[in-house]
C-alpha cells in the first residue's frame, strides 16, 4: 500500500495518526498540493491511499476506517453516526473557521462559528463514562475528530472558551506518541501558519455561518434558506452512502394486533386528546390533536418503533345531555350517532389509529372507580360543601362549560365556568361576574351541594419532582411548559372531581351515590379504558413506566389537565402508572380572520372537507404546513390555493413527474446507468443533509418544520434538472447522453426518497409515487434508518411503472366559491329566505358591501409577495432558456396569481371603462 499526503493539509493529519496508531505497513510519500495522484479525478485529491488491488481511497475518513479494519478493529454503528456528524456538521464549520483564521486574520471571530459543534461534542463527552468517545480505548472516531480539531484546539490564541470534558479528551489524545508524530509531520510545529499554502488553494466558504451545528429543533423561515457550504468530505461521504444501496433488513410487515410492549424495542404509547362526541371537529381540532398525532405515529412506525396509537370519543357530561334533549334522543343514542360521525371524518382524513374507542364503557367505569378508591384509601380526597350555579329555568345545576361570564382575573367577557380561554387561569363558576346560563341565557342562582375534591396540595411535591424530570428529559412544547408553570406558580388548590349530573361515570361512594365524576377527572382515564378495550394486556402499557414512553398530543387549552390534574390522580393512586414523557401542544388554528363557528356557518368542519372535492392528502398537507407550533395561525383559502399550486403542483409534483417522465420517454421505462460527477455528489450531500434534518426534527416532534425539508429537496431536484437539461443532452453525443442518464437516474432516486419522507404527511400520494416508480418496499425501512441514509434504491435497469401527474391546480373561481360557502353567507342566506322580501332598491349595509366588493387587504399582501416571487421565477427560467412548456406553465401561474390579486384588491378583473374620454 502507498499513502500520499501533503504538508499543511489537515485531512492528512487524520490518516497519519491512524497509520501510527494501527501500525499498518504502508509506504508514505509527501507530494505537493497540486499533484494529481488519483488518475481518474480531474482535480487533486489528498490524502490518497493506493491499495494492492490498484484501487484508490481518497476520502480521509474512509482511509482511517480502512486502516483500523485492517488492524482488526471494526467500526460500530455509533462510529458511523460520528463520521456523519463530522462530515456534515463539523467540517463545514471548520472550513469557514480555518478560512477566517488562516487567510483573513479574523481569529477572534472563530469561536462564534465553532461554538455549536464544540458545545455538542463537549456535552456528549460529559455524558460518557469512558475516557474516549465510544469505548475505553482509542477508536477510529477519536482519531478523526481529534485530527479535524487539532489545528484550532492546539492554537491558544483563538480563545475558544473552556469546555472541560472536550479539553480533557483532546489532551489525552494529543499526548499519545502517534498523534504527536502525525502533527509534527503535517504541520512541522508551525500551527495554523503551516496550513496557509493549503488553505489558499481551497474554495472560499460562504460568509454566512452554519444554521445548525448539531441536531436542530427548528427550521429557517421561508426566504431564509441559503445555499449550504458542502465540504469535500461531505460529498464523498454522501457518495459512499449512496453506493451502499438498499439494506437487506426485513421489510416491515402488517401490524400484528394486539400491539404490546416488547423487550429491547422502543415502546411508544401515543394518545390524541379525546374529542367531545357531540361536536363535529373543525380543522383546528383536527390539526391540534388527531392529525399531528397521526403524522408522528406513522413516522414512528417507519422508524421501527413498537408504537400504539389510541384515541376515542369523550362521551360523558352535560354537553351530551343537552344535545340529546335538542335532538329528542337518549344520551347513549347521541353518543352512538356522533361516535360514527367522528370515525367517518377521521377515516377520510386517513388517521391511522390502532384503536379508536369511546368512554361510555364498562372498562371506563371499572378503571375510574378503581383509581377513585385508591385515592380515597390513601387520603388524597377531601369532602367539602360547594356553592354552585343552578339555572331555575332549566331546573339543573350548571356544568362549567354551560355557564359563561366575565373573568374575575382579566375581565374577558366570554370566560367559561372552569377556565378563562384568554388568561388561562382556573375559575370556579361562582367567581364569574354577570354569569349566564348558555342554554337559556337566564341568570343562575347560587345553591350549596356536598362534593369530593382531589387534594392537589398533598400531591404537589411529588408532582413537582416528577415534572422536573419529565420536562427536563422529554420533548415538551414551550407552551406546555409555560402553562404548567403558571398553574404551579401560585400553589395548587383542591380540585372538585364530582358533579350533580346523571350522564357520567357513577361515583361508587354511598354518600355520593347521586353524583358522577367530573369530566376532567374522568375523561383522561379514557386513555386507559380505551386501551383496555383494545387489549386485556393494557397494564403492560399503562403500568410500565420503565419500558414505555408516553406521548400526549393536544391543543394548548387541554395542557393543565394532562400536566397537573391527571398526573396527580395517577401519582396519588400509587399503582406504578405510566406518566406522560412528552407533552405536545399546539396553539390555535383560526379560520381566515375569525373563529370557527358551526352555528354561524363559519369555517370548514370535518364532515364538509370531503365535499369540497379537494383530496384529503392536500388538506393534510396544508394543515400541517400551517400547523400552529409556536403561535396561533390561520387557515386561508387564498393561501391554501397558493401552497397547493406553488409547493405541491409546481415544486414537488413537477419534479417527481419530470423525473419519472424522463425515464419513460428517454430510457424506455428503465433507470439508466449513473456515473456520478462532482455536481451529482454535491446534490447527494445536500439531499442527505435535508433528510437528516427531517429526521432530527420529527424525532423532536417538529412536524411543520420537518415538512419544509421535503420541499427543499424537491427544490434542489428541480434546480438540478433545470441546470443539466437532460431533454437536450439526450439528443447529443455519447457523453451528453450518458450525462442525461445520470441526471435522470439521480432524479428518479430522489423522487423515491421523497415518497418515503412524504408517507407520514401524505400517505396516498406517497403510495402513488412508489407505485409509479415500482419502488421496492425495502426503500422505506432503509432510508429512515439511524440518522437517515439516501441510498440508490432504483438501480440501473430497474423498470418503473406508468407515470402521471400527482396534483391538480386549484382555480381562483373554485377557491372564491369555497370561501363564500364557508364564510358564514350560508347562514345569512337561510335567514334571508325565512324573512319577508325587502324592496330591491333598499341599500345594503356597509359590511355586506364589503363582502360584495371582495377586498381583502391581508390576502392582497400575501398575493403581492407571491406575484413578485413567481415573476422572478419566470425571468430566471427565460434567462436559462428553459423548455417552452416549462416557461408557459410558470407564466400561466403568474397570470393566475395576478388575477387573484386584482380580486383581493377589490377591483374588477376586466379593465374599467375610462370616463369622459372619446374612443
Amino acid at each position: 500500500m502507498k499513502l500520499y499526503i501533503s504538508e499543511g493539509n489537515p485531512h492528512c493529519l487524520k490518516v497519519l495518526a491512524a497509520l501510527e496508531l494501527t501500525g499498518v505497513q504502508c509506504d508514505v510519500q509527501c507530494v505537493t498540493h497540486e499533484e494529481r495522484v488519483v488518475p481518474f479525478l480531474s482535480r487533486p485529491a489528498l490524502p490518497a491511499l493506493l491499495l494492492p488491488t490498484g484501487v484508490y481511497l481518497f476520502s480521509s475518513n474512509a482511509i482511517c476506517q480502512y486502516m483500523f479494519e485492517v488492524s482488526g478493529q471494526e467500526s460500530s454503528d455509533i462510529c458511523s453516526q460520528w463520521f456523519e456528524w463530522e462530515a456534515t456538521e463539523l467540517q463545514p464549520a471548520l472550513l469557514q473557521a480555518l478560512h477566517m483564521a488562516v487567510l483573513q486574520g479574523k481569529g477572534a471571530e472563530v469561536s462564534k462559528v465553532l461554538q455549536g459543534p464544540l458545545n455538542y461534542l463537549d456535552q456528549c463527552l460529559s455524558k460518557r463514562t469512558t475516557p474516549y468517545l465510544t469505548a475505553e480505548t482509542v477508536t477510529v472516531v477519536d482519531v478523526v475528530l481529534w485530527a479535524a480539531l487539532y489545528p484550532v484546539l492546539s492554537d491558544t490564541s483563538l480563545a475558544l472558551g473552556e469546555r472541560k470534558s472536550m479539553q480533557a479528551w483532546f489532551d489525552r489524545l494529543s499526548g499519545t506518541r502517534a498523534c504527536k508524530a502525525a502533527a509534527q509531520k503535517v504541520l512541522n510545529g508551525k500551527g495554523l501558519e503551516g496550513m496557509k499554502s493549503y488553505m489558499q488553494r481551497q474554495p472560499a466558504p460562504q460568509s454566512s455561518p452554519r444554521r445548525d451545528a448539531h441536531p436542530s429543533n427548528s427550521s429557517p423561515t421561508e426566504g431564509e434558506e441559503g445555499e449550504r457550504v458542502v465540504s469535500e468530505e461531505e460529498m464523498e461521504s454522501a457518495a459512499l452512502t449512496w453506493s451502499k444501496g438498499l439494506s437487506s433488513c426485513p421489510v416491515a410487515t402488517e401490524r400484528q394486533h394486539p400491539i404490546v410492549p416488547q423487550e429491547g424495542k422502543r415502546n411508544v404509547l401515543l394518545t390524541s386528546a379525546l374529542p367531545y362526541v357531540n361536536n363535529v371537529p373543525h380543522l383546528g381540532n383536527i390539526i391540534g390533536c388527531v392529525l399531528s398525532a397521526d403524522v408522528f405515529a406513522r413516522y414512528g412506525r417507519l422508524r421501527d418503533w413498537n408504537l400504539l396509537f389510541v384515541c376515542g370519543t369523550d362521551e360523558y357530561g352535560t354537553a351530551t345531555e343537552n344535545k340529546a334533549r335538542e335532538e329528542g334522543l337518549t344520551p347513549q343514542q347521541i353518543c352512538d350517532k356522533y361516535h360514527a360521525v367522528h370515525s367517518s371524518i377521521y377515516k377520510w382524513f386517513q388517521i391511522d389509529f390502532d384503536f379508536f374507542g369511546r368512554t361510555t364503557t364498562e372498562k371506563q367505569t371499572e378503571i375510574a372507580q378503581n383509581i377513585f378508591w385508591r385515592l380515597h384509601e390513601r387520603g388524597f380526597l377531601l369532602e367539602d360543601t360547594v356553592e354552585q350555579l343552578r339555572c331555575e329555568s332549566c331546573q339543573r345545576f350548571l356544568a362549567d362549560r354551560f355557564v359563561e361570564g366575565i373573568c374575575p382575573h382579566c375581565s374577558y367577557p366570554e370566560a367559561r365556568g372552569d377556565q378563562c380561554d384568554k388568561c388561562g387561569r382556573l375559575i370556579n363558576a361562582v367567581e364569574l361576574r354577570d354569569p349566564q346560563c348558555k342554554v337559556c341565557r337566564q341568570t343562575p342562582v347560587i345553591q350549596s351541594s356536598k362534593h369530593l375534591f382531589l387534594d392537589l396540595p398533598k400531591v404537589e411535591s411529588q408532582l413537582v419532582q416528577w415534572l422536573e424530570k419529565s420536562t427536563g428529559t422529554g420533548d415538551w412544547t414551550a407552551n406546555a411548559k409555560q402553562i404548567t408553570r403558571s398553574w404551579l406558580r401560585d400553589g395548587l388548590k383542591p380540585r372538585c372531581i364530582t358533579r350533580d349530573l346523571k350522564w357520567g361515570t357513577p361515583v361508587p361512594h354511598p354518600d355520593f351515590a347521586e353524583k358522577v365524576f367530573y369530566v376532567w377527572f374522568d375523561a383522561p382515564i379514557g386513555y386507559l379504558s380505551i386501551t383496555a378495550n383494545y387489549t386485556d394486556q393494557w397494564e403492560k402499557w399503562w403500568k410500565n413506566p420503565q419500558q414505555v414512553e408516553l406521548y400526549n398530543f393536544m391543543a394548548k387549552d387541554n395542557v393543565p389537565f394532562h400536566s397537573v390534574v391527571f398526573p396527580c390522580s395517577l401519582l396519588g393512586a400509587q399503582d406504578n402508572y405510566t406518566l406522560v414523557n412528552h407533552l405536545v401542544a399546539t396553539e390555535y388554528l383560526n379560520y381566515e380572520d375569525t373563529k370557527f363557528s358551526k352555528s354561524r356557518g363559519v369555517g370548514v368542519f370535518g364532515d364538509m372537507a370531503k365535499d369540497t372535492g379537494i383530496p384529503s392528502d392536500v388538506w393534510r398537507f396544508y394543515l400541517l404546513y400551517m400547523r400552529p407550533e409556536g403561535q396561533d395561525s390561520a387557515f386561508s383559502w387564498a393561501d391554501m390555493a397558493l401552497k397547493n399550486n406553488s409547493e405541491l403542483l409546481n415544486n414537488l409534483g413537477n419534479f417527481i413527474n419530470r423525473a419519472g417522465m424522463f425515464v419513460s420517454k428517454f430510457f424506455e421505462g428503465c433507470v439508466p446507468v449513473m456515473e456520478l460527477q462532482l455536481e451529482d455528489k454535491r446534490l447527494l450531500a445536500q439531499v442527505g443533509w435535508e433528510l437528516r434534518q427531517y429526521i432530527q426534527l420529527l424525532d423532536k416532534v417538529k412536524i411543520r418544520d420537518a415538512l419544509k425539508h421535503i420541499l427543499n429537496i424537491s427544490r434542489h431536484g428541480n434546480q438540478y434538472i433545470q441546470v443539466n437539461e437532460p431533454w437536450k443532452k439526450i439528443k447529443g453525443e455519447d457523453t451528453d447522453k450518458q450525462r442525461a442518464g445520470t441526471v435522470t437516474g439521480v432524479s428518479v432516486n430522489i423522487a423515491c426518497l421523497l415518497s418515503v419522507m412524504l408517507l407520514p404527511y401524505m400517505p396516498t400520494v406517497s403510495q402513488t409515487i412508489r407505485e409509479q416508480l415500482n419502488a421496492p418496499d425495502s426503500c422505506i425501512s432503509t432510508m429512515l434508518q439511524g440518522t437517515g441514509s439516501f441510498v440508490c434504491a432504483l438501480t440501473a435497469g430497474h423498470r418503473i411503472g406508468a407515470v402521471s401527474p400527482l396534483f391538480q391546480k386549484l382555480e381562483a373561481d373554485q377557491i372564491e366559491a369555497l370561501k363564500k360557502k364557508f364564510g358564514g353567507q350560508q347562514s345569512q342566506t337561510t335567514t334571508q329566505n325565512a324573512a319577508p322580501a325587502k324592496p330591491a332598491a333598499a341599500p345594503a349595509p356597509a359590511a355586506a358591501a364589503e363582502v360584495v366588493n371582495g377586498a381583502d387587504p391581508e390576502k392582497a399582501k400575501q398575493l403581492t409577495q407571491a406575484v413578485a416571487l413567481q415573476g422572478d421565477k419566470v425571468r430566471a427560467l427565460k434567462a436559462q432558456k428553459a423548455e417552452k412548456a416549462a416557461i408557459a406553465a410558470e407564466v400561466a401561474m403568474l397570470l393566475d396569481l395576478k388575477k387573484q390579486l386584482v380580486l383581493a384588491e377589490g377591483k374588477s378583473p376586466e379593465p374599467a371603462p375610462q370616463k369622459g374620454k372619446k374612443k
Side-chain angles (χ1 to χ4, degrees), residues 884-901:
K884 287 183 179 178
I887 295 173
E890 299 300 336
V891 168
M893 178 67 186
L894 177 61
L895 293 173
D896 183 61
L897 286 169
K898 286 180 176 179
K899 284 181 185 177
Q900 292 183 50
L901 177 58

Side-chain angles (χ1 to χ4, degrees), residues 219-506:
S219 150
T221 56
E222 282 183 291
E224 206 176 284
E225 192 72 38
E227 193 69 24
R228 288 181 61 252
V229 176
V230 179
S231 69
E232 183 181 324
E233 287 289 323
E234 192 176 352
M235 286 188 265
E236 293 303 331
S237 174
L240 187 63
T241 300
W242 161 273
S243 67
K244 291 177 181 176
L246 294 176
S247 66
S248 56
C249 62
V251 175
T253 55
E254 287 291 316
R255 275 171 275 166
Q256 299 296 312
H257 295 285
I259 300 165
V260 293
Q262 297 176 23
E263 287 286 344
K265 294 277 277 186
R266 184 180 181 186
N267 298 299
V268 173
L269 176 58
L270 196 155
T271 70
S272 171
L274 308 182
Y276 284 124
V277 73
N278 59 296
N279 290 338
V280 176
H282 58 64
L283 298 180
N285 303 137
I286 290 166
I287 185 58
C289 303
V290 294
L291 179 53
S292 295
D294 179 65
V295 171
F296 192 69
R298 288 175 181 274
Y299 171 72
R301 294 177 191 130
L302 293 180
R303 298 275 278 158
D304 197 31
W305 302 343
N306 185 48
L307 185 145
L308 178 67
F309 178 21
V310 295
C311 186
T313 42
D314 175 10
E315 302 189 348
Y316 283 130
T318 308
T320 306
E321 285 185 355
N322 277 354
K323 193 72 171 176
R325 186 179 291 107
E326 285 173 19
E327 298 194 17
L329 300 171
T330 67
Q332 187 61 61
Q333 287 172 328
I334 279 291
C335 291
D336 294 344
K337 173 183 174 179
Y338 282 96
H339 176 80
V341 170
H342 279 266
S343 296
S344 173
I345 289 168
Y346 302 141
K347 185 176 181 181
W348 188 81
F349 274 97
Q350 304 175 76
I351 310 300
D352 193 11
F353 302 114
D354 288 303
F355 188 72
F356 185 72
R358 52 201 307 190
T359 56
T360 51
T361 65
E362 290 180 11
K363 289 288 185 187
Q364 175 75 9
T365 303
E366 176 189 322
I367 295 171
Q369 291 184 347
N370 173 264
I371 290 173
F372 166 81
W373 280 122
R374 292 186 70 89
L375 289 167
H376 189 272
E377 291 159 5
R378 286 156 181 77
F380 288 108
L381 297 182
L382 305 170
E383 290 184 18
D384 199 2
T385 300
V386 177
E387 290 187 328
Q388 289 178 258
L389 294 178
R390 178 180 171 84
C391 179
E392 295 297 338
S393 175
C394 297
Q395 284 294 298
R396 64 159 120 189
F397 286 101
L398 294 179
D400 296 333
R401 288 176 179 261
F402 281 81
V403 61
E404 201 172 72
I406 299 170
C407 175
H409 304 293
C410 71
S411 299
Y412 178 60
E414 297 177 12
R416 296 195 313 263
D418 59 348
Q419 187 179 12
C420 174
D421 278 341
K422 185 176 181 184
C423 68
R425 298 280 289 274
L426 284 181
I427 300 171
N428 285 322
V430 292
E431 296 174 339
L432 287 171
R433 301 201 302 269
D434 299 332
Q436 282 188 337
C437 169
K438 285 187 73 176
V439 177
C440 67
R441 290 298 167 189
Q442 297 297 309
T443 301
V445 298
I446 296 175
Q447 282 193 9
S448 297
S449 179
K450 192 167 75 168
H451 284 278
L452 286 164
F453 287 73
L454 179 60
D455 192 352
L456 293 179
K458 192 171 181 179
V459 201
E460 187 167 359
S461 61
Q462 289 182 63
L463 177 77
V464 169
Q465 188 178 359
W466 163 74
L467 277 170
E468 284 178 0
K469 181 182 177 184
S470 184
T471 58
T473 58
D475 290 316
W476 286 52
T477 50
N479 58 356
K481 292 179 184 178
Q482 182 184 351
I483 292 167
T484 303
R485 280 196 296 267
S486 71
W487 270 57
L488 294 171
R489 192 179 301 125
D490 302 326
L492 298 179
K493 298 174 179 61
R495 184 81 174 154
C496 189
I497 66 165
T498 55
R499 282 292 181 268
D500 290 297
L501 301 173
K502 300 295 183 189
W503 185 246
T505 302

Side-chain angles (χ1 to χ4, degrees), residues 534-568:
Y534 165 70
T535 173
D536 292 337
Q537 302 177 70
W538 68 275
E539 291 184 347
K540 290 184 178 179
W541 285 109
W542 284 104
K543 295 184 180 181
N544 190 5
Q546 295 79 19
Q547 273 194 314
V548 173
E549 281 182 76
L550 174 58
Y551 283 81
N552 290 162
F553 282 78
M554 69 204 67
K556 64 182 177 183
D557 58 332
N558 281 340
V559 166
F561 305 105
H562 288 79
S563 66
V564 177
V565 179
F566 187 44
C568 280

